[in-house]
Short mmCIF file of all heavy atoms in Angstrom, two decimals:
data_model
loop_
_atom_site.label_atom_id
_atom_site.label_comp_id
_atom_site.label_asym_id
_atom_site.label_seq_id
_atom_site.Cartn_x
_atom_site.Cartn_y
_atom_site.Cartn_z
N ILE A 1 75.01 36.19 130.01
CA ILE A 1 75.27 35.69 128.74
C ILE A 1 74.78 34.27 128.50
O ILE A 1 74.26 33.95 127.41
CB ILE A 1 76.93 35.78 128.57
CG1 ILE A 1 77.28 37.25 128.47
CG2 ILE A 1 77.31 35.00 127.22
CD1 ILE A 1 78.84 37.49 128.31
N GLY A 2 74.94 33.42 129.47
CA GLY A 2 74.54 31.97 129.38
C GLY A 2 73.06 31.92 129.10
O GLY A 2 72.58 31.18 128.20
N THR A 3 72.19 32.65 129.79
CA THR A 3 70.75 32.66 129.61
C THR A 3 70.39 33.14 128.16
O THR A 3 69.52 32.58 127.46
CB THR A 3 69.95 33.51 130.61
OG1 THR A 3 70.30 33.07 131.87
CG2 THR A 3 68.57 33.57 130.39
N ALA A 4 71.11 34.17 127.72
CA ALA A 4 70.85 34.79 126.35
C ALA A 4 71.16 33.65 125.25
O ALA A 4 70.54 33.49 124.28
CB ALA A 4 71.75 35.99 126.08
N LEU A 5 72.38 32.98 125.49
CA LEU A 5 72.81 31.94 124.54
C LEU A 5 71.81 30.78 124.47
O LEU A 5 71.52 30.16 123.54
CB LEU A 5 74.20 31.36 124.91
CG LEU A 5 75.33 32.40 124.56
CD1 LEU A 5 76.61 31.91 125.16
CD2 LEU A 5 75.42 32.56 123.00
N ILE A 6 71.28 30.37 125.68
CA ILE A 6 70.29 29.32 125.76
C ILE A 6 69.08 29.71 124.89
O ILE A 6 68.59 28.85 124.07
CB ILE A 6 69.87 29.07 127.22
CG1 ILE A 6 71.09 28.38 127.97
CG2 ILE A 6 68.69 28.12 127.26
CD1 ILE A 6 70.85 28.36 129.45
N SER A 7 68.58 30.96 125.10
CA SER A 7 67.52 31.33 124.24
C SER A 7 67.77 31.43 122.79
O SER A 7 66.93 31.07 121.93
CB SER A 7 67.05 32.77 124.74
OG SER A 7 66.47 32.75 126.11
N LEU A 8 69.01 31.82 122.48
CA LEU A 8 69.45 31.96 121.08
C LEU A 8 69.28 30.57 120.41
O LEU A 8 68.55 30.33 119.45
CB LEU A 8 70.83 32.40 120.92
CG LEU A 8 71.56 32.10 119.66
CD1 LEU A 8 71.02 32.97 118.57
CD2 LEU A 8 73.05 32.34 119.68
N TYR A 9 69.94 29.52 121.08
CA TYR A 9 70.02 28.27 120.36
C TYR A 9 68.63 27.58 120.46
O TYR A 9 68.20 26.81 119.49
CB TYR A 9 71.10 27.35 121.02
CG TYR A 9 72.46 27.82 120.76
CD1 TYR A 9 73.34 28.13 121.70
CD2 TYR A 9 72.89 28.01 119.36
CE1 TYR A 9 74.62 28.48 121.38
CE2 TYR A 9 74.15 28.46 119.07
CZ TYR A 9 75.08 28.73 120.09
OH TYR A 9 76.30 29.13 119.80
N ALA A 10 67.85 27.76 121.50
CA ALA A 10 66.48 27.21 121.58
C ALA A 10 65.63 27.82 120.47
O ALA A 10 64.85 27.16 119.83
CB ALA A 10 65.94 27.46 122.98
N ASN A 11 65.68 29.12 120.34
CA ASN A 11 64.83 29.88 119.35
C ASN A 11 65.20 29.59 117.92
O ASN A 11 64.51 29.89 116.99
CB ASN A 11 64.87 31.37 119.67
CG ASN A 11 63.99 31.70 120.81
OD1 ASN A 11 63.44 30.82 121.55
ND2 ASN A 11 63.79 32.96 121.02
N SER A 12 66.54 29.13 117.79
CA SER A 12 67.01 28.80 116.40
C SER A 12 66.92 27.31 116.03
O SER A 12 67.31 26.99 114.96
CB SER A 12 68.53 29.31 116.30
OG SER A 12 68.75 30.60 116.62
N GLY A 13 66.27 26.66 116.90
CA GLY A 13 66.07 25.22 116.63
C GLY A 13 67.20 24.33 116.97
O GLY A 13 67.15 23.05 116.61
N CYS A 14 68.24 24.82 117.64
CA CYS A 14 69.42 23.95 118.03
C CYS A 14 69.31 23.72 119.51
O CYS A 14 70.17 24.22 120.31
CB CYS A 14 70.71 24.75 117.70
SG CYS A 14 70.90 25.05 115.95
N LEU A 15 68.34 22.83 119.83
CA LEU A 15 68.16 22.56 121.27
C LEU A 15 69.37 21.92 121.90
O LEU A 15 69.63 22.11 123.11
CB LEU A 15 66.83 21.70 121.43
CG LEU A 15 66.29 21.64 122.75
CD1 LEU A 15 65.89 23.00 123.20
CD2 LEU A 15 65.03 20.62 122.77
N GLU A 16 70.13 20.99 121.14
CA GLU A 16 71.25 20.41 121.71
C GLU A 16 72.32 21.36 122.08
O GLU A 16 73.02 21.21 123.11
CB GLU A 16 71.73 19.34 120.79
CG GLU A 16 72.41 19.87 119.49
CD GLU A 16 71.36 20.20 118.38
OE1 GLU A 16 70.08 20.20 118.65
OE2 GLU A 16 71.72 20.48 117.30
N PHE A 17 72.51 22.53 121.33
CA PHE A 17 73.43 23.42 121.61
C PHE A 17 73.05 24.29 122.95
O PHE A 17 73.80 24.60 123.76
CB PHE A 17 73.67 24.48 120.49
CG PHE A 17 74.51 23.97 119.37
CD1 PHE A 17 75.03 22.65 119.42
CD2 PHE A 17 74.80 24.72 118.32
CE1 PHE A 17 75.79 22.16 118.38
CE2 PHE A 17 75.50 24.30 117.25
CZ PHE A 17 76.03 22.97 117.35
N ALA A 18 71.65 24.57 123.04
CA ALA A 18 71.11 25.22 124.16
C ALA A 18 71.47 24.45 125.46
O ALA A 18 71.85 24.96 126.51
CB ALA A 18 69.67 25.44 124.05
N ARG A 19 71.15 23.06 125.37
CA ARG A 19 71.47 22.30 126.58
C ARG A 19 72.93 22.19 126.89
O ARG A 19 73.32 22.13 128.04
CB ARG A 19 70.89 20.86 126.34
CG ARG A 19 70.86 19.99 127.54
CD ARG A 19 70.14 20.63 128.73
NE ARG A 19 70.24 19.98 130.01
CZ ARG A 19 69.44 19.19 130.53
NH1 ARG A 19 68.20 18.93 129.89
NH2 ARG A 19 69.53 18.65 131.72
N LYS A 20 73.79 22.19 125.81
CA LYS A 20 75.24 22.20 126.09
C LYS A 20 75.71 23.34 126.73
O LYS A 20 76.45 23.35 127.79
CB LYS A 20 76.02 22.06 124.74
CG LYS A 20 77.54 21.79 124.87
CD LYS A 20 78.07 21.58 123.50
CE LYS A 20 79.56 21.06 123.60
NZ LYS A 20 80.43 22.04 124.09
N VAL A 21 75.15 24.60 126.43
CA VAL A 21 75.52 25.81 127.08
C VAL A 21 74.97 25.73 128.61
O VAL A 21 75.81 26.06 129.50
CB VAL A 21 74.80 27.02 126.38
CG1 VAL A 21 75.06 28.32 127.27
CG2 VAL A 21 75.57 27.29 125.10
N PHE A 22 73.78 25.27 128.71
CA PHE A 22 73.20 25.14 130.09
C PHE A 22 74.05 24.29 130.90
O PHE A 22 74.33 24.58 132.16
CB PHE A 22 71.80 24.64 129.95
CG PHE A 22 71.17 24.30 131.35
CD1 PHE A 22 70.49 25.48 131.97
CD2 PHE A 22 71.14 23.16 131.91
CE1 PHE A 22 69.87 25.24 133.22
CE2 PHE A 22 70.48 22.89 133.22
CZ PHE A 22 69.93 23.99 133.73
N ASP A 23 74.47 23.09 130.46
CA ASP A 23 75.28 22.11 131.20
C ASP A 23 76.71 22.67 131.60
O ASP A 23 77.29 22.22 132.54
CB ASP A 23 75.37 20.82 130.53
CG ASP A 23 73.99 20.06 130.38
OD1 ASP A 23 73.14 20.34 131.24
OD2 ASP A 23 73.84 19.15 129.50
N GLU A 24 77.18 23.43 130.73
CA GLU A 24 78.53 23.95 130.93
C GLU A 24 78.66 25.27 131.83
O GLU A 24 79.74 25.65 132.13
CB GLU A 24 79.24 24.31 129.60
CG GLU A 24 79.56 23.10 128.73
CD GLU A 24 80.12 23.45 127.35
OE1 GLU A 24 80.17 24.61 127.08
OE2 GLU A 24 80.59 22.56 126.65
N MET A 25 77.51 25.82 132.14
CA MET A 25 77.51 27.00 132.97
C MET A 25 78.04 26.72 134.37
O MET A 25 77.52 25.82 135.01
CB MET A 25 76.17 27.72 133.01
CG MET A 25 75.72 28.18 131.70
SD MET A 25 74.10 28.92 131.71
CE MET A 25 74.32 30.29 132.86
N PRO A 26 79.08 27.41 134.81
CA PRO A 26 79.55 27.28 136.20
C PRO A 26 78.56 27.64 137.30
O PRO A 26 78.67 26.93 138.41
CB PRO A 26 80.80 28.11 136.27
CG PRO A 26 80.60 29.14 135.27
CD PRO A 26 79.74 28.56 134.18
N TYR A 27 77.64 28.48 137.03
CA TYR A 27 76.69 28.92 138.07
C TYR A 27 75.48 29.22 137.28
O TYR A 27 75.34 29.88 136.31
CB TYR A 27 77.16 30.16 138.75
CG TYR A 27 76.05 30.66 139.69
CD1 TYR A 27 75.80 30.03 140.86
CD2 TYR A 27 75.22 31.80 139.32
CE1 TYR A 27 74.73 30.42 141.78
CE2 TYR A 27 74.20 32.12 140.14
CZ TYR A 27 73.99 31.49 141.38
OH TYR A 27 72.97 31.94 142.26
N ARG A 28 74.29 28.63 137.71
CA ARG A 28 72.98 28.78 137.14
C ARG A 28 72.05 29.46 138.13
O ARG A 28 72.04 29.08 139.28
CB ARG A 28 72.53 27.38 136.54
CG ARG A 28 73.30 26.84 135.49
CD ARG A 28 72.59 25.61 134.87
NE ARG A 28 72.69 24.45 135.78
CZ ARG A 28 73.56 23.40 135.69
NH1 ARG A 28 74.43 23.46 134.74
NH2 ARG A 28 73.59 22.41 136.54
N ASP A 29 71.13 30.25 137.67
CA ASP A 29 70.18 30.81 138.52
C ASP A 29 68.75 30.46 137.91
O ASP A 29 68.66 29.58 137.05
CB ASP A 29 70.32 32.32 138.65
CG ASP A 29 70.10 33.07 137.40
OD1 ASP A 29 69.76 32.41 136.33
OD2 ASP A 29 70.36 34.25 137.42
N LYS A 30 67.77 30.98 138.59
CA LYS A 30 66.39 30.57 138.18
C LYS A 30 66.15 31.05 136.73
O LYS A 30 65.41 30.29 136.08
CB LYS A 30 65.39 31.41 139.11
CG LYS A 30 64.00 31.27 138.75
CD LYS A 30 63.10 31.94 139.90
CE LYS A 30 63.49 33.40 139.99
NZ LYS A 30 62.56 34.11 140.98
N PHE A 31 66.73 32.18 136.30
CA PHE A 31 66.43 32.60 134.85
C PHE A 31 67.03 31.60 133.79
O PHE A 31 66.46 31.40 132.80
CB PHE A 31 66.99 33.99 134.64
CG PHE A 31 66.40 34.95 135.65
CD1 PHE A 31 67.05 35.28 136.83
CD2 PHE A 31 65.06 35.36 135.55
CE1 PHE A 31 66.69 36.25 137.74
CE2 PHE A 31 64.52 36.31 136.52
CZ PHE A 31 65.28 36.69 137.57
N CYS A 32 68.16 31.04 134.09
CA CYS A 32 68.83 30.05 133.29
C CYS A 32 67.95 28.84 133.22
O CYS A 32 67.70 28.27 132.06
CB CYS A 32 70.19 29.53 133.78
SG CYS A 32 71.36 30.93 133.99
N PHE A 33 67.33 28.35 134.32
CA PHE A 33 66.45 27.27 134.27
C PHE A 33 65.14 27.60 133.48
O PHE A 33 64.71 26.78 132.67
CB PHE A 33 66.11 26.82 135.66
CG PHE A 33 67.07 25.94 136.38
CD1 PHE A 33 68.08 26.36 137.17
CD2 PHE A 33 67.05 24.56 136.05
CE1 PHE A 33 69.05 25.51 137.74
CE2 PHE A 33 67.99 23.58 136.66
CZ PHE A 33 68.93 24.17 137.56
N ASN A 34 64.61 28.74 133.73
CA ASN A 34 63.49 29.17 132.96
C ASN A 34 63.66 29.15 131.53
O ASN A 34 62.77 28.69 130.76
CB ASN A 34 62.99 30.51 133.45
CG ASN A 34 62.38 30.65 134.77
OD1 ASN A 34 62.13 29.59 135.46
ND2 ASN A 34 62.17 31.74 135.34
N ALA A 35 64.81 29.68 131.04
CA ALA A 35 65.11 29.77 129.63
C ALA A 35 65.23 28.31 129.03
O ALA A 35 64.76 28.06 128.01
CB ALA A 35 66.45 30.49 129.31
N MET A 36 65.81 27.38 129.76
CA MET A 36 65.99 26.02 129.29
C MET A 36 64.76 25.31 129.33
O MET A 36 64.41 24.48 128.31
CB MET A 36 67.15 25.34 130.07
CG MET A 36 67.62 24.08 129.45
SD MET A 36 68.54 24.29 127.91
CE MET A 36 67.53 23.29 126.83
N ILE A 37 63.92 25.34 130.36
CA ILE A 37 62.63 24.80 130.37
C ILE A 37 61.73 25.24 129.34
O ILE A 37 61.07 24.43 128.64
CB ILE A 37 61.98 24.97 131.76
CG1 ILE A 37 62.72 24.28 132.91
CG2 ILE A 37 60.56 24.54 131.84
CD1 ILE A 37 62.28 24.62 134.29
N ARG A 38 61.76 26.65 129.09
CA ARG A 38 60.94 27.06 127.92
C ARG A 38 61.42 26.57 126.61
O ARG A 38 60.56 26.21 125.76
CB ARG A 38 61.02 28.65 127.89
CG ARG A 38 60.31 29.25 126.76
CD ARG A 38 60.48 30.76 126.62
NE ARG A 38 59.92 31.26 125.41
CZ ARG A 38 60.66 31.30 124.33
NH1 ARG A 38 61.89 30.90 124.23
NH2 ARG A 38 60.09 31.78 123.24
#
């Protein structure tokens, strides 16, 4: 869900929301990082 939300906010132009979701995730994997880097 976190990776999907990161992509949602990044693709909608709300990069600050994407980063907020990323920072609040209790556990992150490679795919979360990929979505945020993209």
